[in-house]
Amino acid sequence: MKAVATDFWNKHSRQYLEMALKHEPREMPDELDGYGQRTGDCGDTVEIFLTIKDNKILQAGFRAQGCMNTNACCNTLVHLIEGLSVEDAWQTTPEDVADYLETLPSDHFHCAELTIGALYLALNNYQERRKAL
């Protein structure tokens, strides 16, 4: 049992470990400008919350029900998109998330895809809300 635990810590990058184990509250902001939710084939669910001002993402939050890999991807997404313009956030890909984490297991790449899919839904929701004004 000890070897398995040691292997986990040694086989992952610092970025992966920080993002996977980070559990700061990232709940829905008071002023919600964009919302997206996706559930993957694996059963994990990701909700993304965006606060946007002057076309810039001021705050991104999430709620995730799933594995450690999904949590790592969600935390990474928040790290990557806060401060970006909406247009630049649309350019964020699952590969960007996996590249940042460095050691996301290849059989869990779908966690990055799930997270980015929820982001795209949130960005689309923001744009639809703006059209309605």
Side-chain angles (χ1 to χ4, degrees), residues 1-9:
M1 195 72 149
K2 206 174 203 178
V4 172
T6 302
D7 289 347
F8 173 80
W9 294 105

Side-chain angles (χ1 to χ4, degrees), residues 22-91:
K22 185 175 186 179
H23 290 287
E24 295 172 3
R26 291 283 189 180
E27 295 294 325
M28 189 180 316
D30 293 335
E31 294 183 35
L32 181 65
D33 296 311
Y35 172 79
Q37 177 183 332
R38 282 202 70 178
T39 299
D41 292 339
C42 61
D44 289 5
T45 298
V46 172
E47 294 177 273
I48 300 294
F49 314 112
L50 301 175
T51 301
I52 300 169
K53 184 171 182 175
D54 298 328
N55 203 43
K56 199 168 249 185
I57 298 174
L58 294 181
Q59 180 182 8
F62 70 89
R63 217 178 296 165
Q65 293 180 328
C67 68
M68 181 181 292
N69 297 300
T70 296
N71 192 63
C73 291
C74 288
N75 276 310
T76 298
L77 174 71
V78 167
H79 174 76
L80 293 175
I81 68 168
E82 282 187 335
L84 291 182
S85 69
V86 171
E87 291 78 20
D88 288 342
W90 273 109
Q91 303 307 310

Side-chain angles (χ1 to χ4, degrees), residues 12-29:
H12 287 292
S13 69
R14 180 178 178 188
Q15 291 92 312
Y16 175 88
L17 293 170
E18 286 177 359
M19 294 298 161
L21 301 174
K22 185 175 186 179
H23 290 287
E24 295 172 3
R26 291 283 189 180
E27 295 294 325
M28 189 180 316

